[in-house]
Amino acid sequence: GENVEQHPSTLSVQEGDSAVIKCTYSDSASNYFPWYKQELGKRPQLIIDIRSNVGEKKDQRIAVTLNKTAKHFSLHITETQPEDSAVYFCAATVRGGADGLTFGKGTHLIIQP
Amino acid sequence: GAGVSQSPSNKVTEKGKDVELRCDPISGHTALYWYRQSLGQGLEFLIYFQGNSAPDKSGLPSDRFSAERTGGSVSTLTIQRTQQEDSAVYLCASSVYSPGSNEKLFFGSGTQLSVL
């Protein structure tokens, strides 16, 4: 089955700096890659996703890049703000949607004032 | 409208007891998922329902775990003879099933299960 590795497990950055979280996946047939954000004590929420036919997707300060050859994808957050502090989960699936998602173990992003 | 609702929010039980966790998905969402979140372990898939049927039960860790969904709506996750390693947050999510298109998972706030 699919295996998703996520790094780093904890990331601390200064407010205003950029943050990058990286994930690798094992199944080359994977075709859908969402990112979920979970603030402390709250439920996970989808923040951005990308399909295998696209190399990059942006939404304001966040972007996701996908390298199918290397089987890795990354989340980029620019101009970080205190409200970006949260645990971020990447996921991958071969089934094209929410069905069959395998999640990474999460990255705890800490924004230092 | 209302989001995904889970009950109870917290459950403390003794080892060996059975527990039932309930999930009420968003109205109209045909797909329902159960995940387990342990500290530092991310989101572990347990089971997926499409309507009342469960095409993917591959994540259930043992035969002590079972789940059902009735009326294409409410789902119950049952853990029999609970063990301390079952302690975790159990998250339910629902989505609108649309083959071949992006699907956003809507999560509930979870049930924190503590087995003493």
Side-chain angles (χ1 to χ4, degrees), chain A residues 12 15 20-21 31 33-34 42-43 58 62 66 70-71 73 77 79 89 94-95 101 106 109:
Chain A
S12 181
E15 182 177 349
V20 181
I21 302 170
N31 55 17
F33 309 89
K42 297 190 177 181
R43 64 195 74 186
K58 290 183 179 180
I62 61 172
L66 172 65
K71 291 189 288 185
F73 56 113
I77 306 174
E79 301 172 10
F89 295 97
V94 300
R95 302 182 193 173
L101 284 172
L109 177 62

Side-chain angles (χ1 to χ4, degrees), chain A residues 32 36 38 43-46 49 51 57 89 95-106, chain B residues 3-4 33 35 37 40-43 45 48 56 91 95 100-105 107-109:
Chain A
Y32 176 60
Y36 282 78
Q38 186 176 27
R43 64 195 74 186
Q45 292 190 315
L46 179 70
D49 54 16
R51 289 199 164 273
K57 185 176 179 180
F89 295 97
R95 302 182 193 173
D99 174 22
L101 284 172
T102 299
F103 284 85
K105 292 188 177 182
Chain B
V4 177
Y33 313 79
Y35 288 88
Q37 186 173 26
Q41 293 301 310
L43 296 167
F45 168 77
Y48 156 62
D56 190 351
L91 287 166
S95 71
S101 67
N102 293 359
E103 297 170 34
K104 179 178 177 180
L105 283 175
F107 282 91
S109 54

Side-chain angles (χ1 to χ4, degrees), chain A residues 50-51 54-58 63-66 76:
Chain A
I50 192 168
R51 289 199 164 273
V54 175
E56 183 177 5
K57 185 176 179 180
K58 290 183 179 180
V64 57
T65 59
L66 172 65
H76 305 253

Side-chain angles (χ1 to χ4, degrees), chain A:
Chain A
E2 176 69 276
N3 183 45
V4 176
E5 299 284 343
Q6 184 170 349
H7 301 280
S9 56
T10 304
L11 177 61
S12 181
V13 301
Q14 290 295 125
E15 182 177 349
D17 287 352
S18 296
V20 181
I21 302 170
K22 300 181 180 181
C23 290
T24 59
Y25 59 98
S26 60
D27 194 332
S28 58
S30 288
N31 55 17
Y32 176 60
F33 309 89
W35 287 86
Y36 282 78
K37 173 184 179 182
Q38 186 176 27
E39 296 178 43
L40 187 63
K42 297 190 177 181
R43 64 195 74 186
Q45 292 190 315
L46 179 70
I47 55 171
I48 195 167
D49 54 16
I50 192 168
R51 289 199 164 273
S52 56
N53 59 350
V54 175
E56 183 177 5
K57 185 176 179 180
K58 290 183 179 180
D59 183 3
Q60 299 182 348
R61 295 187 298 107
I62 61 172
V64 57
T65 59
L66 172 65
N67 183 327
K68 288 189 295 182
T69 302
K71 291 189 288 185
H72 69 70
F73 56 113
S74 300
L75 178 71
H76 305 253
I77 306 174
T78 58
E79 301 172 10
T80 52
Q81 300 171 5
E83 56 264 34
D84 296 330
S85 293
V87 178
Y88 292 80
F89 295 97
C90 64
T93 179
V94 300
R95 302 182 193 173
D99 174 22
L101 284 172
T102 299
F103 284 85
K105 292 188 177 182
T107 295
H108 186 193
L109 177 62
I110 302 166
I111 307 301
Q112 302 280 7

Side-chain angles (χ1 to χ4, degrees), chain B residues 24-68:
Chain B
D24 201 341
I26 293 173
S27 178
H29 281 195
T30 57
L32 185 147
Y33 313 79
W34 284 97
Y35 288 88
R36 180 167 68 177
Q37 186 173 26
S38 304
L39 193 61
Q41 293 301 310
L43 296 167
E44 177 189 2
F45 168 77
L46 297 178
I47 188 170
Y48 156 62
F49 285 93
Q50 181 56 244
N52 290 335
S53 64
D56 190 351
K57 306 178 183 179
S58 62
L60 294 177
S62 75
D63 59 6
R64 296 186 296 104
F65 288 72
S66 63
E68 64 175 14

